Every structure is written in C-alpha cells, then in structure tokens.
Amino acid sequence: IEGSNRAAALGCFGCHGPEGRGLTENPRSFKGYVPPWDGPDFAELVANDAEFRQWVRNGASDRMRANPAARAFLDRQPIRMPAYGARVSDADLAALGAYVKWVRTHPRTGVFGSKK
C-alpha cells in the first residue's frame, strides 16, 4: 500500500493511469502512449531494479539514453517521465518498485476492469 500511496502522491497515475495500468496517449513517442506498468512494454523499457531507479531518478534509463533511436523518441515525445532526483528517497524507490512488481503479477481489479 505504501508504494501505491507514494505513486499517487508523486502523480504517477496521472500518466500511467489508475493502478499504473492505463494507456495515456503520448504522440510522437515510440508506441504513441505512456506504457502501463502491467504491459509488455514495461519489461522492454525497464530491464531490472537499477533501470527502474534510473527512470524514476533521471527520467530515463542510461540504456535508453545511450541508444540513438530510443533517445530520438525520448526527446520528441510531449509527455516525458519526470526526473524526480533526490525528491524520491531510497525508501520511496523501494516502495514504488515493490508496488510496480505487485501490479505486474496481479490481475486488474474489478474497479478498473478485468484482465483475462
């Protein structure tokens, strides 16, 4: 619950949708939307916990920034991942990471639809 509370306080659900499962349009991004946390795009963008921390702290992972094609999409998309930097503590990162892992391993709730 702490991770969900931190995600709400940081505004994550505004772009990633309810529970981090939404599809907010993001023209000129690679797929045209902000990736939900429970979809296959997330696994392609976030390979491990270190990359998750880079996305939250820096607004992108080092791997994506080093890839010229990925960097072109990152630079031109109108909705960009905020770089929270030191505004997110190590405890916040751990709670957020645990929540994202929970979302990825649990089906959608009845509140937001059902995943089959």
Side-chain angles (χ1 to χ4, degrees), residues 53-84:
R53 288 189 298 274
Q54 290 170 1
W55 275 103
V56 175
R57 287 249 164 92
N58 306 326
S61 69
D62 293 344
R63 178 173 60 97
M64 291 294 142
R65 288 179 193 239
N67 180 309
R71 182 63 185 249
F73 283 104
L74 289 171
D75 290 346
R76 73 181 193 181
Q77 63 189 2
I79 300 173
R80 297 178 185 191
M81 174 73 186
Y84 288 99

Side-chain angles (χ1 to χ4, degrees), residues 23-35 73 76-81:
L23 284 176
T24 302
E25 287 186 30
N26 193 11
R28 297 186 313 276
S29 66
F30 184 62
K31 300 238 178 140
Y33 54 82
V34 175
F73 283 104
R76 73 181 193 181
Q77 63 189 2
I79 300 173
R80 297 178 185 191
M81 174 73 186

Side-chain angles (χ1 to χ4, degrees), residues 6-17 20 37 84 96:
R6 291 306 303 141
L10 292 166
C12 302
F13 301 137
C15 294
H16 291 284
W37 297 334
Y84 288 99
L96 289 167

